[in-house]
């Protein structure tokens, strides 16, 4: 019975919009929350980093294929910060991402996967810092409210290997993982 109710709910969400409504450019605003963990080689535990909610912006372009497959690219920036001071002296600030996206248009609903590059600032006591580049992947869904506006819910994970070298940590000694949940709203043109 539960499966039938869930299927009916998704069927109701998916109706209404034409797949072509997903094509073209878009810009949006977002809010994200989550956290991170720093794994230092030889340390008996990970350094957890709680994240303050952060606002962000994103922009991209979608191309709709004949099969309702949606391919696109997106760039985003979130002002999210993570640390656990004074227990954990390490932290990160901001996240810039450039990603390729692949989704499937089901009327108003478009679930998607994304893969790309991420850049953040890794810091020690907010005094020493290094710029870090890593990979990012996401799973999410956009919901088309009307032909000009969509809403978003997304889980995103960014991984940075060998952070802080050589200023904060020895080369290859630390790996940073940042996980976020994001909601957003975009204007399509």
């Amino acid at each position: 019975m539960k499966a039938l109710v869930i299927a009916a709910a998704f069927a109701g969400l998916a109706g209404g919009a034409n797949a072509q409504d997903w094509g073209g450019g878009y810009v949006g605003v977002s809010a994200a929350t989550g956290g991170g963990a720093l794994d230092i080689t030889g340390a008996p535990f990970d350094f957890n980093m709680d994240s303050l909610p952060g606002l962000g912006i994103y922009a991209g372009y979608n191309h709709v294929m004949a099969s309702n497959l949606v391919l696109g690219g997106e760039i985003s920036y979130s002002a999210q910060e993570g640390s656990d001071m004074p227990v954990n002296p390490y932290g990160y600030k901001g996240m810039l991402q450039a990603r390729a996206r692949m989704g499937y248009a089901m009327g108003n609903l478009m679930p998607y996967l994304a893969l790309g590059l991420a850049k953040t600032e890794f810091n020690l006591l907010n005094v020493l810092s290094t710029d870090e580049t890593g990979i990012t992947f996401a799973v999410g869904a956009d919901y088309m409210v009307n032909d000009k506006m969509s809403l978003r819910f997304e889980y995103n994970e960014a991984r940075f290997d060998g952070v802080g070298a050589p200023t904060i940590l020895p080369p290859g000694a630390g790996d940073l993982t940042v996980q976020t949940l994001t909601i957003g709203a975009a204007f399509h043109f």
Side-chain angles (χ1 to χ4, degrees):
M1 184 65 176
K2 261 189 198 177
L4 191 57
V5 171
I6 292 170
F10 274 111
L13 285 175
N18 183 324
Q20 297 306 315
D21 292 343
W22 290 104
Y26 59 92
V27 294
V29 294
S30 63
T33 189
L38 176 64
D39 179 16
I40 297 178
T41 304
F45 54 86
D46 288 349
F47 291 90
N48 290 323
M49 297 177 207
D50 294 330
S51 169
L52 298 172
L55 298 178
I57 56 173
Y58 59 98
Y61 187 86
N62 290 329
H63 178 72
V64 181
M65 311 296 278
S67 62
N68 288 356
L69 184 67
V70 179
L71 302 176
E74 183 175 285
I75 188 162
S76 65
Y77 178 78
S78 173
Q80 186 176 6
E81 296 183 22
S83 73
D84 198 12
M85 296 276 284
V87 176
N88 173 5
Y90 303 104
Y92 64 92
K93 283 186 182 178
M95 184 83 61
L96 177 65
Q97 298 185 18
R99 315 180 304 185
R101 293 191 339 149
M102 180 177 69
Y104 186 77
M106 301 185 300
N108 288 11
L109 185 67
M110 185 185 72
Y112 63 86
L113 300 172
L115 178 66
L117 295 175
K119 190 167 189 67
T120 192
E121 177 189 291
F122 177 71
N123 65 68
L124 173 63
L125 300 171
N126 284 325
V127 176
L128 297 175
S129 66
T130 58
D131 288 333
E132 303 295 339
T133 302
I135 63 165
T136 180
F137 55 92
V139 59
D142 286 347
Y143 179 77
M144 189 70 74
V145 176
N146 58 42
D147 63 343
K148 296 292 182 198
M149 184 179 171
S150 66
L151 301 177
R152 163 177 293 186
F153 181 76
E154 177 182 281
Y155 168 79
N156 182 285
E157 186 167 311
R159 295 182 180 178
F160 304 90
D161 295 334
V163 297
T167 311
I168 300 172
L169 295 171
D175 297 332
L176 174 65
T177 302
V178 178
Q179 300 167 330
T180 57
L181 290 176
T182 303
I183 58 171
F187 173 75
H188 293 253
F189 48 92

